[in-house]
């Protein structure tokens, strides 16, 4: 898919990927805010984003937030070793073939895409730093309708 596939205001590209217990799909999330995060075991900022995403999932699950972490490691044991140290409190999917990051035009790790209740891209964020947590949480709260923009 072209880079325009992740243009703000356009529908997010659908995906269906293997997960831990079952396949993970974007379709069927209408009415939920979805935070899709592309990560890999070698990604240093991902070590900081995982605890934050777990906290966000716990805090906003009942408000309609769904966080999906898509792992891009070529070898599943690499992802499993990362997860043994930093368990995820959110859904995980695995894309060793790298089709989904191409569809989402991922250029940095991690890359996060916030998708609105209508399935359209609201925001794309590359990287993660602890000082960005509040800003990212505000974007999630706005998407959930918990505060005015």
């Amino acid at each position: 898919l072209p880079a325009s596939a992740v243009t703000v205001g356009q529908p997010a590209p659908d995906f269906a990927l293997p997960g831990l217990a079952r396949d993970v799909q974007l379709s069927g999330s209408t009415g939920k805010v979805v935070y899709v995060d592309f990560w890999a075991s070698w990604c240093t900022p991902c070590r900081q984003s995982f605890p934050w995403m777990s906290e966000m999932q716990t805090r906003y699950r009942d408000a309609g937030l769904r966080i999906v972490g898509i792992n891009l490691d070529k070898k599943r044991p690499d992802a499993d070793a990362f997860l043994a140290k930093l368990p995820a409190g959110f859904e995980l999917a695995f894309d060793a073939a790298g089709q989904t990051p191409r569809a989402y035009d991922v250029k940095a790790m991690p890359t996060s895409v916030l998708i609105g209740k209508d399935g359209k891209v609201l925001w794309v964020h590359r990287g993660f730093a602890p000082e960005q947590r509040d800003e990212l949480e505000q974007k999630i709260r706005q998407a959930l309708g918990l505060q005015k923009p």
Side-chain angles (χ1 to χ4, degrees):
L1 293 174
S4 62
V6 290
T7 301
V8 170
Q10 295 299 310
D14 196 11
F15 58 80
L17 297 166
L20 289 175
R22 60 179 174 80
D23 284 353
V24 176
Q25 295 180 277
L26 179 62
S27 60
S29 294
T30 305
K32 289 190 174 282
V33 170
V34 184
Y35 187 93
V36 176
D37 183 77
F38 293 92
W39 67 281
S41 62
W42 49 263
C43 166
T44 301
C46 296
R47 294 183 191 121
Q48 297 175 328
S49 67
F50 259 58
W52 177 82
M53 288 189 295
S54 293
E55 180 185 335
M56 293 298 100
Q57 183 64 82
T58 298
R59 186 176 296 166
Y60 298 111
R61 175 181 285 118
D62 292 343
L65 178 65
R66 177 185 182 207
I67 295 180
V68 178
I70 300 178
N71 176 264
L72 304 180
D73 282 304
K74 301 277 185 230
K75 298 177 187 167
R76 176 70 184 267
D78 293 340
D80 292 339
F82 178 99
L83 293 168
K85 294 176 188 167
L86 288 162
F90 47 88
E91 280 183 274
L92 293 172
F94 300 90
D95 187 358
Q99 294 178 350
T100 312
R102 281 191 293 278
Y104 278 79
D105 194 35
V106 172
K107 290 185 171 29
M109 294 297 282
T111 291
S112 301
V113 180
L114 189 61
I115 302 166
K117 295 176 183 179
D118 60 358
K120 294 182 180 176
V121 174
L122 295 173
W123 196 59
V124 178
H125 181 76
R126 291 179 172 94
F128 184 88
E131 60 271 13
Q132 297 170 326
R133 289 183 294 205
D134 290 343
E135 177 189 359
L136 295 171
E137 183 174 358
Q138 293 307 320
K139 295 282 187 189
I140 289 169
R141 288 180 58 80
Q142 287 172 6
L144 290 168
L146 298 176
Q147 70 183 38
K148 295 187 177 170

